[in-house]
Amino acid sequence: MGDAGMDTDVVIAGAGATGLMLSCELRLAGVEVVVADRLAGRTGESRAGGMHARTLEILDQRGVLDRFLAAGERQPVSHFSGLWLDFDESESRHAYPLNLPQSAIERLLEEWAAELGVRVRWLSEVSGIRQDDAGVTVDLSTAGAAPTPLRARYLVGCDGGRSTVRKLSGIAFPGTPATMAGLLGDVRLPGLPEDYIFMRRGPGGHVSVFALEPGWHRVITSEFDRLPDRDEPATFEQLRESLFRLVGTDWGMCDPQWVSRFSDAARQAARYREGRVLLAGDAAHIHYPSGGQGLNVGVQDAVNLGWKLASVVRGEAPDTLLDSYHDERHAVGARVLRNVQAQVALVRPGAQTDALRDVFASLVEFEDVNRYLRGMLTALDIRYPADGDHPLAGRRVPDADLKTHEGTARLHELLHAARPVLLDLRGNADVAAAAEDWAGRVDLVEARSEDGHWPVPGCGEIPAPAALLVRPDGHVAWAAATDGAPDTAALRTALTTWFGAALPR
Ligand SMILES: Cc1cc2nc3c(=O)[nH]c(=O)nc-3n(C[C@H](O)[C@H](O)[C@H](O)COP(=O)(O)OP(=O)(O)OC[C@H]3O[C@@H](n4cnc5c(N)ncnc54)[C@H](O)[C@@H]3O)c2cc1C
């Protein structure tokens, strides 16, 4: 895009998974971005161990999933606080967790971003922010040198849990402090099988071990009778001592690749937006890493924000569209914090937790409970507030098989360009007329559904709709039921809400 007096449209602070995903979304929409990171380059820290179904679907929606699948390993099950959850293939084409270390996820995202024209500016730390009506001036500092000001329309803080952008913007980070100390390490466990999995709750805390990559295991300890020393780097020796305290062995672990600490501190930014500054990923929410949700939520924040920010930068939608980013994603983040806190409560030592856990373990045996928990962990059940009572309104659109004029297609393939899609499955003239009034912004696709019913996590099977307005993030902004005339007045309202006013006739 570019604009007089601006160096770029959007500055993204932080080249982690959230910042990189956001940069790709903005570039797909033709927006200029600068991604600045204070580090000298990738650290190679593994951190997150993989991705859940909805994140995999999002990558599929952009046509880049295959490169992640080729590098990772599909897992048959997931867990809620160590209680196993099964997956149901009818809910998603990607109803499995993919084991893939965060370092590999970031490398693949950075490669994709580079293909879209993004070059990360390493050794560039955001150290100052000044907002005004027209834009934001961001100071970028490199050790020892005077800060360089960069002028942009918007700044997005994807700069992690200790976010400078959040602090400089005066956004509060309320929540609960750490009550336990966690350590983890990526190590070799000679003599143990490659697929060795171990989980044990004891009087002092919890230990889990699982295969990370061929030859490497992740060992995690949570001790509830001590507090973390946040500012001291974790050591391999501390991890070994923690293991001996909790299970009386270290399995002869050796060759630590990476050792780190974590806690159950749970905090969330009070606002995801302060004028021209927005927050996403860990900058907006931190929590205990149970259920492996943090990276997923950050990537999904980025995909919710990207198309909205692009639409505002292009002058199509009003700036108030960005408030919906806070409304939708703050609620999702709050729910994640609560499910993680519930998971922490279920691993705490003690007789009362033993009893609670027994009851919970029985409940998880019920398919409805299993489905509810996996919907929450995978984020497949997210439903944003939306007008209309169609069961798809606000939900992520299923990846239905379609027959188009060109042949067959999957619905998620229609979202590769990160543009809104108005899908007409009944050849309705009023739907086509609405598409004409938003021509250039919304793509009309005429097709037939191959199946009469679509599986929708959270509400079972529903009859295939007659027409759908799908946002670039894959959520349904409007849907028409199979029977009866589509409510095209409601369609036009949804088009205006999400993609700006109609073109003048
Ligand atoms: C021990 C551990 C285990 C985890 N396990 C899982 C898991 O299994 N599954 C899962 O989904 N999540 C997991 N997580 C969480 C996951 O790692 C985070 O949620 C994820 O890294 C968030 O990505 P992000 O891009 O928002 O932030 P980060 O990855 O923290 O990236 C922030 C980036 O901003 C840069 N930065 C910071 N300050 C500035 C500044 N002032 N200017 C410019 N750049 C700056 C940093 O250098 C960094 O590159 C785990 C986390 C930890 C700590």
Side-chain angles (χ1 to χ4, degrees):
M1 292 278 310
D3 201 350
M6 296 289 163
D7 297 304
T8 188
D9 293 321
V10 178
V11 173
I12 298 173
T18 307
L20 291 169
M21 188 73 205
L22 179 62
S23 74
C24 293
E25 292 293 290
L26 291 171
R27 287 303 302 137
L28 282 169
V31 168
E32 298 293 333
V33 292
V34 168
V35 181
D37 198 293
R38 69 174 171 198
L39 296 177
R42 293 260 155 256
T43 62
E45 290 180 356
S46 56
R47 290 208 276 172
M51 294 183 284
H52 285 299
R54 183 60 192 140
T55 309
L56 299 175
E57 284 191 350
I58 281 172
L59 295 168
D60 192 28
Q61 285 174 191
R62 298 297 180 254
V64 294
L65 177 62
D66 285 352
R67 44 183 105 176
F68 293 84
L69 294 184
E73 197 178 324
R74 298 172 194 217
Q75 297 302 303
V77 289
S78 185
H79 70 92
F80 185 86
S81 198
L83 302 168
W84 297 113
L85 301 179
D86 299 322
F87 283 92
D88 178 349
E89 286 178 9
S90 73
E91 291 177 345
S92 168
R93 291 185 203 266
H94 305 290
Y96 49 86
L98 184 76
N99 266 16
L100 182 61
Q102 182 162 338
S103 47
I105 295 170
E106 289 173 350
R107 176 177 52 76
L108 291 167
L109 285 174
E110 193 178 345
E111 283 171 15
W112 178 33
E115 290 163 22
L116 296 169
V118 178
R119 295 281 176 278
V120 176
R121 288 198 198 178
W122 297 107
L123 287 174
S124 300
E125 177 168 10
V126 172
S127 57
I129 303 170
R130 291 173 298 286
Q131 294 200 50
D132 54 54
D133 287 348
V136 52
T137 303
V138 182
D139 291 330
L140 293 184
S141 303
T142 304
T148 311
L150 199 66
R151 185 85 177 140
R153 309 272 304 274
Y154 290 91
L155 164 68
V156 188
C158 303
D159 51 343
R162 297 185 183 192
S163 169
T164 304
V165 172
R166 186 184 68 230
K167 290 172 192 159
L168 290 175
S169 307
I171 299 176
F173 202 39
T176 51
T179 66
M180 48 72 65
L183 284 168
L184 86 161
D186 298 342
V187 298
R188 289 197 190 280
L189 295 176
L192 289 179
E194 287 267 304
D195 57 354
Y196 185 67
I197 293 185
F198 177 90
M199 284 199 196
R200 182 187 292 169
R201 271 179 70 243
H206 185 258
V207 174
S208 61
V209 176
F210 60 87
L212 192 66
E213 285 182 289
W216 293 96
H217 280 85
R218 172 160 294 180
V219 174
I220 307 175
T221 66
S222 299
E223 293 189 79
F224 289 87
D225 54 0
R226 56 193 67 220
L227 287 174
D229 185 349
R230 281 180 83 230
D231 297 315
E232 279 297 309
T235 66
F236 181 54
E237 209 37 55
Q238 288 168 348
L239 179 64
R240 191 195 300 281
E241 288 165 7
S242 178
L243 273 176
F244 271 108
R245 279 193 296 273
L246 292 172
V247 286
T249 178
D250 69 352
W251 292 283
M253 68 176 183
C254 57
D255 292 348
Q257 220 179 15
W258 178 61
V259 180
S260 184
R261 63 174 83 251
F262 61 92
S263 79
D264 63 341
R267 298 190 177 278
Q268 188 178 24
R271 300 184 303 284
Y272 281 19
R273 175 183 185 200
E274 180 63 45
R276 293 182 170 272
V277 178
L278 298 117
L279 299 177
D282 275 19
H285 36 71
I286 56 158
H287 54 77
Y288 182 87
S290 193
Q293 298 168 89
L295 177 143
N296 293 267
V297 191
V299 167
Q300 290 163 29
D301 285 346
V303 173
N304 184 288
L305 176 59
W307 65 273
K308 294 175 181 173
L309 194 48
S311 183
V312 172
V313 166
R314 287 194 305 250
E316 293 169 0
D319 163 86
T320 48
L321 178 64
L322 297 176
D323 295 334
S324 73
Y325 166 66
H326 167 91
D327 296 342
E328 293 183 343
R329 295 305 299 175
H330 190 278
V332 168
R335 192 177 76 144
V336 170
L337 258 60
R338 286 188 69 75
N339 91 49
V340 170
Q341 284 174 312
Q343 294 189 65
V344 176
L346 283 167
V347 291
R348 280 185 183 283
Q352 288 171 333
T353 310
D354 293 348
L356 177 65
R357 214 177 154 80
D358 279 351
V359 172
F360 216 85
S362 308
L363 289 175
V364 170
E365 296 290 317
F366 290 94
E367 171 51 21
D368 281 353
V369 177
N370 209 297
R371 186 185 313 115
Y372 172 78
L373 293 175
R374 70 176 178 249
M376 197 161 60
L377 279 188
T378 56
L380 284 172
D381 70 349
I382 287 175
R383 186 174 199 185
Y384 297 135
D387 290 337
D389 55 8
H390 193 281
L392 279 175
R395 293 185 193 275
R396 122 304 181 199
V397 72
D399 188 21
D401 286 314
L402 304 174
K403 190 163 267 174
T404 65
H405 296 308
E406 284 81 39
T408 54
R410 292 187 293 111
L411 207 160
H412 286 184
E413 286 174 335
L414 304 179
L415 296 166
H416 281 185
R419 288 170 56 80
V421 171
L422 182 52
L423 182 61
D424 184 358
L425 296 168
R426 288 278 189 285
N428 186 289
D430 292 337
V431 170
E436 259 177 48
D437 289 344
W438 274 264
R441 288 189 210 167
V442 175
D443 296 334
L444 175 68
V445 176
E446 290 169 330
R448 294 281 177 273
S449 174
E450 296 271 39
D451 300 303
H453 286 82
W454 290 5
V456 179
C459 61
E461 291 230 318
I462 62 158
L468 282 176
L469 176 61
V470 186
R471 311 186 325 186
D473 58 5
H475 280 260
V476 175
W478 168 87
T482 319
D483 305 321
D487 181 352
T488 46
L491 167 61
R492 285 170 178 275
T493 302
L495 282 162
T496 308
T497 300
W498 298 110
F499 311 115
L503 298 172
R505 284 184 178 252

